[in-house]
Each structure stands twice: as structure tokens, then as C-alpha cells.
Amino acid sequence: IDRMLFERSADIQVLASDSVFSEPNSSQLDLTQRLLTYRNAYKVYMSISYYDANKIKVADTTGLHIGKKTHDSRWVQDVFGKGIISVGSDIHFEEELQRVILFIAAPVLNEMGKIVGAVVAHMPLERIYILDHFTDDEKYLMMSEGRPETMQWLILYPKKK
């Protein structure tokens, strides 16, 4: 699991450093096409979104809820509140995707180091191959991201044979 989280952290950092996201003149089409390129290349993500500095979804690989402000979840607090990458600190059922999602998010910074937005990758929890032997009901797993204040638990139940 550590290796998978490390790889997802690397993915989101590459994505957040792509100049199309920090460029103020990038169109919604440019942003969406770049997100689609990353989603298709990495294949573990169900969708990837870009939010502006006001936490408004500007682009998304599924096209869902464009123009909608995100709610104040853990990844939002990490990225917009603390200016840090969030990998696994936010895991919850996402209504629009109808899945339990592990959120991987990073701030997008301009040349001056100011947060101008965020990229957010949505990875279905079932993509963690170690969890294949557990039910889709409640899955609990300890995730700390190396920071005790982000400790989170998910309960794992073995599949019935």
C-alpha cells in the first residue's frame, strides 16, 4: 500500500506541475484534454478534476458538475488550507461516481508560489489490489500519510466463501 501511495503522490505532483494548469489563459477544453491524457495514461483513476483557486470545478474527465464548488472535505483542507499534497487522507463514498474513492490532490502553484487551483485524482478503493479479498461493504484500513494528525481508519471485512 505504501508503494501504491508513493506512486499516486508522484503522479499528482507531475500533473500539478503541468503548465496548462497554472497558465491563466488555458481554456476549459485545454484543461479537460490534459486531464484526459493523464487519466488514460495512468489507468488507475476513475476520473481527474481541476478546481480553480475559488474551489470551483473547472474541468473534469467525466464532465460531471462543472462550475460547482467543492465541499470542505479533507483533501480541500490539505490542499487549499495547508498548501500540501493530499494522498489518502480523504476516503469516502463519492455520490457522483457511486464508489468509495481515495482522493489524491495537489495544489497548482503559479510562478510566484501562489495557489491558483488544484488537481484531484479519484481512485476507486477497489483498485488497491490487496483489498480484492474483502467485501465492497465497509472497508477499513489505517491511512496516515506519514502524519499522525491525518490518521484515518477503514474497516475490512473478508469476503464470504
Side-chain angles (χ1 to χ4, degrees):
I1 292 175
D2 282 345
R3 177 74 178 171
M4 182 275 307
L5 291 175
F6 173 79
E7 290 171 355
R8 300 301 67 87
S9 177
D11 294 350
I12 205 70
Q13 289 178 64
V14 168
L15 187 56
S17 66
D18 190 316
S19 62
V20 74
F21 299 108
S22 59
E23 173 59 47
N25 296 323
S26 293
S27 70
Q28 182 181 5
L29 180 61
D30 293 336
L31 297 168
T32 303
Q33 287 177 337
R34 191 61 51 93
L35 292 173
L36 285 166
T37 299
Y38 280 98
R39 191 208 55 202
N40 293 341
Y42 290 109
K43 305 223 185 290
V44 297
Y45 302 115
M46 187 165 203
S47 70
I48 306 175
S49 306
Y50 173 74
Y51 290 83
D52 68 14
N54 297 314
K55 305 174 195 167
I56 305 293
K57 188 185 285 189
V58 176
D60 183 88
T61 57
T62 64
L64 296 172
H65 304 289
I66 302 298
K68 181 181 172 189
K69 188 169 187 165
T70 188
H71 57 281
D72 194 30
S73 61
R74 290 185 73 162
W75 77 260
V76 174
Q77 294 167 14
D78 285 348
V79 171
F80 288 104
K82 299 175 186 172
I84 61 173
I85 294 169
S86 182
V87 180
S89 67
D90 193 354
I91 303 170
H92 64 263
F93 184 79
E94 182 65 29
E95 282 292 327
E96 67 185 44
L97 299 174
Q98 290 295 299
R99 295 265 193 303
V100 176
I101 298 294
L102 184 140
F103 291 79
I104 300 116
V108 174
L109 308 174
N110 65 12
E111 292 175 356
M112 312 251 261
K114 181 182 178 200
I115 297 174
V116 295
V119 287
V120 184
H122 309 95
M123 187 175 113
L125 201 57
E126 67 261 18
R127 296 267 169 94
I128 301 176
Y129 69 92
I130 290 172
L131 302 181
D132 284 346
H133 301 291
F134 295 91
T135 66
D136 287 335
D137 297 331
E138 299 177 50
K139 298 176 181 180
Y140 285 100
L141 173 70
M142 187 173 74
M143 308 287 279
S144 72
E145 199 179 330
R147 299 187 328 254
E149 71 274 11
T150 65
M151 196 69 70
Q152 180 168 332
W153 289 91
L154 293 153
I155 297 177
L156 299 173
Y157 292 103
K159 285 184 179 175
K160 304 222 191 293
K161 298 204 180 207

